[in-house]
Amino acid sequence: MAGSSSKGATSSAPPQSSPVKHWEWWLMLTLNMFFLIAGQTASTLLGRFYYNQGGNSKWMSTFVQTAGFPVLFIARLLFRSKSPSTQTATSSPEASTSKIILIYIVLGLIIAADDLMYSYGLLYLPVSTYSLICASQLAFNAVFSYVLNAQKFTPMIFNSVTLLTFSAALLGVDEDAQDTSGISQGNHVLGFVLTLGASATYSLILSLMQVTFEKVIKRETFSVVLNMQICTALVATLASLVGLFASGEWKTLEGEMHVFSSGKVSYVMTLLWTAISWQIASVGVVGLIFVVSSLFSNVISTLALPIIPVFAVIFFHDKMDGIKIIAMLMAIWGFISYGYQLYVDDKKSRKTSASVEENS
């Protein structure tokens, strides 16, 4: 994503018996949070820079969002020694390889379509508007988790969904936000709709991944999460390549390189570092799933979204009018509401675990 996205997977937190020392846990937590927030912020800003400097290929922008997936093998090396501690014993028979491959292909194709929508959104919207709309993914995540994953819809979650919905709605009717240089009002509306659609699709992907873990694979280990990340990213990358050639956009890439305002080297480096930034964010996503939980990982990925508009004002001179500031504050409030609910749930879960241990 952009939104995220980091193209996240979903899993359970490791068992409390993890051998990782307390200070090491905090170090890994801090490091992975940095990877996720820095990677997501850098990739979004570089994506906008690509368009600002003369790049115009939506499929190339889509391609670089997953093309750096080999970087995820770094995560495999970093956490390999600890991954056995996350194994969850199960007596359920493993799903057939063909079924898992089919699921990976379907998810990879949905991710490619999601990335394409994000690419259009980033082209037609200011970075600040784009990022704040992406924050709605948390609201969609709550809805899909309720429908597909049986997550409870508490008052705090409802408050979060309402705030994030109104935040996105405010940006949709903000006339000043539509004043993007060289972008028609029609394209602005298209960018808004596609970014909102991409945020919803991203949340759907997360819920479908969780269903896959629970109902099909029936194992929730670090290696399984990482394998899903790598395999779906591979499929999405191949689909983006097909789209790049089928659309004919590959013919324009040489011309793009020549007219790129910062020069040819800058063109290549922009695409390269965009791809690397997305995967640094992905390493953070997988790392947070490993050391904490998938929900915590998803919330931290949303935390970066209200931060990006600040950098957009600094680097791209985006307008931050009153409505955008209100939308940003509402998004942060929605994030805090969601985060507090997770804190309450985690506290309750720990108390339940402690009482079970005492009784046993």
Side-chain angles (χ1 to χ4, degrees), residues 13-73:
Q16 296 300 316
S17 59
S18 174
V20 183
K21 293 177 183 176
H22 191 66
W23 70 268
E24 286 181 337
W25 184 89
W26 278 106
L27 178 64
M28 289 169 67
L29 176 71
T30 306
L31 194 62
N32 283 302
M33 283 177 65
F34 173 77
F35 282 161
L36 177 50
I37 294 173
Q40 189 168 337
T41 302
S43 56
T44 303
L45 294 174
L46 283 169
R48 181 69 248 182
F49 180 78
Y50 165 74
Y51 287 133
N52 282 2
Q53 296 295 304
N56 194 47
S57 173
K58 276 72 71 180
W59 280 107
M60 176 55 76
S61 179
T62 301
F63 172 75
V64 295
Q65 290 183 51
T66 52
F69 70 88
V71 173
L72 291 174
F73 288 106

Side-chain angles (χ1 to χ4, degrees), residues 46-115:
L46 283 169
R48 181 69 248 182
F49 180 78
Y50 165 74
Y51 287 133
N52 282 2
Q53 296 295 304
N56 194 47
S57 173
K58 276 72 71 180
W59 280 107
M60 176 55 76
S61 179
T62 301
F63 172 75
V64 295
Q65 290 183 51
T66 52
F69 70 88
V71 173
L72 291 174
F73 288 106
I74 294 173
R76 186 185 287 277
L77 293 173
L78 284 174
F79 301 110
R80 182 172 52 184
S81 61
K82 304 176 182 66
S83 60
S85 67
T86 65
Q87 296 292 332
T88 303
T90 177
S91 57
S92 305
E94 290 189 13
S96 66
T97 304
S98 58
K99 184 185 285 186
I100 293 174
I101 289 173
L102 179 62
I103 289 171
Y104 284 172
I105 290 172
V106 172
L107 284 173
L109 293 175
I110 296 174
I111 288 170
D114 189 45
D115 291 348

Side-chain angles (χ1 to χ4, degrees), residues 139-184:
F140 286 118
N141 187 61
V143 173
F144 284 124
S145 294
Y146 173 76
V147 175
L148 297 175
N149 310 124
Q151 179 179 305
K152 291 180 181 177
F153 221 69
T154 66
M156 293 300 288
I157 295 289
F158 181 76
N159 181 54
S160 174
V161 171
T162 304
L163 286 167
L164 291 165
T165 302
F166 276 113
S167 174
L170 271 176
L171 294 169
V173 298
D174 183 11
E175 291 182 3
D176 288 335
Q178 298 177 24
D179 184 24
T180 312
S181 56
I183 303 297
S184 68

Side-chain angles (χ1 to χ4, degrees), residues 340-357:
Y340 180 72
Q341 183 61 53
L342 294 186
Y343 167 75
V344 171
D345 290 344
D346 181 62
K347 200 172 178 181
K348 193 181 293 182
S349 174
R350 286 176 187 273
K351 277 185 180 178
T352 305
S353 299
S355 62
V356 168
E357 285 179 8

